Amino acid sequence: MKRIGIIGVGEIGRAMVTGLCDGDRPEVFLSPRGARTAAELAGRYETVQVCADNQEVVDRSELVIIAVRREDRREALAGLRVAGDKVLVNVMAGVGNDDLRQMLATEAPLVRAIPLPAIRERRSVTVTWPSHPAVNSLFEPLGGVLPVAHETAFNVFSALTGTLTTHYAYLATLTMWAAGHGIASDDADRYLRSLFQGVGRTLGDESRSLQQLAGDHETPNGNNERIRTRWFDEANSEALKNALDGLLADLKQPGAEGPHSGRPR
Ligand SMILES: NC(=O)C1=CN([C@@H]2O[C@H](COP(=O)(O)OP(=O)(O)OC[C@H]3O[C@@H](n4cnc5c(N)ncnc54)[C@H](OP(=O)(O)O)[C@@H]3O)[C@@H](O)[C@H]2O)C=CC1
């Protein structure tokens, strides 16, 4: 697909345009809302144009990405005419394809996707459902695509994206703990970033399983084993799984307006 439309040019819309245009440079048609970002992108990339309205985005594109906030979807989409030969990519967290099909009354294929901000660097694996060749080709060069077989699987991956800030909060807690023991916060912060950037790089080694990586970093009866078994014990692990189960249950009811609307993060 060489003509791609984006309705909703905010954080994730901008990340997708950047990722796309730093690669094959398809023609990209942007909705006019979020005017500053849209104008900036059109200024940076000669293949990007800002349209007069959302209908023009649909009319000029073969594939249209819908990236407005969940609560803005009716205003953004109601009344749009979408021919059956277009492909629509729904990246709105918590908005099911049934909801979208009802709103748009179109025969066009609808595909849900979970792009993440690292897509701007073409380094983010994007989960999609249902699998569609044009959508797979769109995301493949942006870090890879992971089409899943059913919506429940899609929701499981969606729930996993809800764990990111816990990871940062964990690191912040370690910094606070060190500061509580008289270490300058800046020093603790710098040290932890360095420590966990190393962990991030190690994750790039896909030849070793996560269990293997943990094992390889742990001396029997050593400090790491001690903290892992005393803190991340069975009760803690169960509490995490329960929180994820609760989130998954909410994600399975995409029609419900709830605390998980809007950004998946
Ligand atoms: N941010 C992320 O990491 C991810 C976000 N998503 C999903 O993407 C969607 C957008 O999120 P995000 O980019 O963070 O949100 P933003 O608020 O950054 O962007 C939303 C954009 O939509 C625009 N908009 C609002 N109403 C309309 C309309 N009627 N027509 C066209 N555009 C409109 C907004 O314009 P204005 O500013 O003028 O209101 C804004 O530019 C959400 O549904 C979210 O769940 C999915 C994966 C990751």
Side-chain angles (χ1 to χ4, degrees):
M1 297 263 171
K2 292 285 173 221
R3 286 179 282 122
I4 294 167
I6 301 190
I7 296 180
V9 192
E11 182 167 332
I12 202 67
R14 178 213 293 262
M16 279 190 286
V17 174
T18 307
L20 286 166
C21 292
D22 285 344
D24 290 343
R25 301 212 159 200
E27 276 191 273
V28 177
F29 301 96
L30 303 179
S31 57
R33 257 297 270 281
R36 233 172 92 189
T37 307
E40 182 206 314
L41 291 166
R44 194 183 322 155
Y45 301 109
E46 59 189 24
T47 56
V48 175
Q49 293 176 51
V50 184
C51 294
D53 54 34
N54 295 349
Q55 185 63 56
E56 190 187 338
V57 175
V58 174
D59 293 345
R60 298 184 73 177
S61 310
E62 297 164 284
L63 181 150
V64 181
I65 297 163
I66 300 170
V68 294
R69 294 176 295 262
R70 171 179 165 146
E71 60 272 22
D72 291 332
R73 67 194 189 281
R74 288 187 199 288
E75 186 201 328
L77 305 174
L80 284 186
R81 295 172 309 283
V82 182
D85 61 347
K86 311 273 177 185
V87 177
L88 296 182
V89 183
N90 167 17
V91 309
M92 295 177 287
V95 179
N97 282 346
D98 291 351
D99 176 314
L100 202 55
R101 193 170 298 285
Q102 203 178 25
M103 209 176 337
L104 289 169
T106 178
E107 297 293 314
L110 304 182
V111 178
R112 293 186 76 181
I114 317 175
L116 293 172
I119 206 162
R120 75 167 68 84
E121 295 135 33
R122 305 165 69 80
R123 283 169 169 229
S124 178
V125 174
T126 301
V127 174
T128 62
W129 174 82
S131 181
H132 188 287
V135 181
N136 293 348
S137 311
L138 175 80
F139 288 116
E140 189 57 56
L142 301 178
V145 62
L146 181 53
V148 295
H150 46 80
E151 194 164 24
T152 301
F154 182 88
N155 287 330
V156 167
F157 282 100
S158 190
L160 289 178
T161 68
T163 61
L164 278 178
T165 57
T166 302
H167 190 71
Y168 289 112
Y170 165 77
L171 299 183
T173 305
L174 297 180
T175 311
M176 280 189 283
W177 176 83
H181 286 270
I183 305 297
S185 289
D186 284 357
D187 287 346
D189 187 282
R190 184 172 160 226
Y191 188 69
L192 279 159
R193 282 174 194 256
S194 159
L195 199 58
F196 283 88
Q197 275 168 11
V199 171
R201 282 192 294 275
T202 314
L203 286 173
D205 173 8
E206 292 181 16
S207 68
R208 288 186 283 171
S209 70
L210 293 176
Q211 278 81 2
Q212 250 177 311
L213 286 174
D216 291 351
H217 284 79
E218 204 167 86
T219 311
N221 300 317
N223 297 348
N224 271 275
E225 185 189 277
R226 177 172 169 149
I227 297 301
R228 181 177 60 78
T229 53
R230 295 209 184 161
W231 176 67
F232 200 57
D233 57 9
E234 214 165 300
N236 198 345
S237 165
E238 277 310 305
L240 175 58
K241 289 182 205 159
N242 285 340
L244 285 164
D245 282 346
L247 173 54
L248 182 59
D250 284 355
L251 289 169
K252 280 181 182 164
Q253 303 166 354
E257 300 288 345
H260 306 298
S261 63
R263 296 177 183 191
R265 50 207 181 113

